[in-house]
Amino acid sequence: MIRAAAPGSRIVSVSLEGLSDGDVADVEGLLRGPMPAQVFDRLIARCPRLAWVHSATAGVERVLTPAAAQRDLVITNARGVFSEPIAEYVVMMILAVSRRLPQLLELQRERTWQPLPGVEMRDLTVGIIGLGSIGRAVARLAGAFGARVIAVRRHVDGPSPEERAGDEDADAPGVTELLPADGLPDLLARSDFSVLALPLTPETEDLLDARMLGHSKPGAWLINVARGRLVDERALVRAVREGPLGGAVLDTFREEP
């Protein structure tokens, strides 16, 4: 597809260890996958003509290294590419927890009949922390199931006209209440499921620490589909074991894998 869009271009493949199958001295654009930051820094040092780096994911924290900042590179990301499958994963987990699916499957394996009361989605409040493309997709799907959806966003007056351009989800359908960033404790206190969908920045790292998790509604669940470093994992374990949390769904961790 790149060759079709840019006839005459030369494409160089680079391994996650930074080994290339050709000379990179004239490379001008780089499509970056899950490459460690140290390898990335060594690679761009070998690319004096590099001007543009595109991250294959929505997150750019592994691309915005000090070395990249010094080069004044153009950094772009794949915002919105994975929003729908991740939103479906979130709703799947909410349904599995609220309808007691793991316990039902265990009873089935034991050939035992035991009625397990579940909670319908229309009786749940889903809190979304971060109303970007993933957060809005979760809001739309959860709202379609009848859940009450509240969300926190840095700017409650909505995106700018430039941000709205071409973005059919800019008005966040499904969200019944929008809170400012300082409304996070209130969201946690009212949500049966809190969905973490924020980017990782110096301001959001360890956002959910022991103090913040202490605001959670008793028995609530935390779902993290963003970045592991947004959560103090030791505090999370304590909050699950000792309360107030009932459990957590973690799609990401501080140390990967």
Side-chain angles (χ1 to χ4, degrees), residues 243-255:
L245 287 180
V249 174
L250 303 177
D251 187 48
T252 182
F253 299 87
R254 296 188 80 92
E255 297 296 332

Side-chain angles (χ1 to χ4, degrees), residues 18 26 30 41 63 65 76 99 107 118 127 173 182 190 215 226-227:
D26 62 343
L30 175 65
D41 284 348
V63 183
T65 64
T76 57
R99 302 301 300 181
L107 290 174
D182 60 6
R190 296 161 55 192
H215 292 287
R227 290 291 184 267

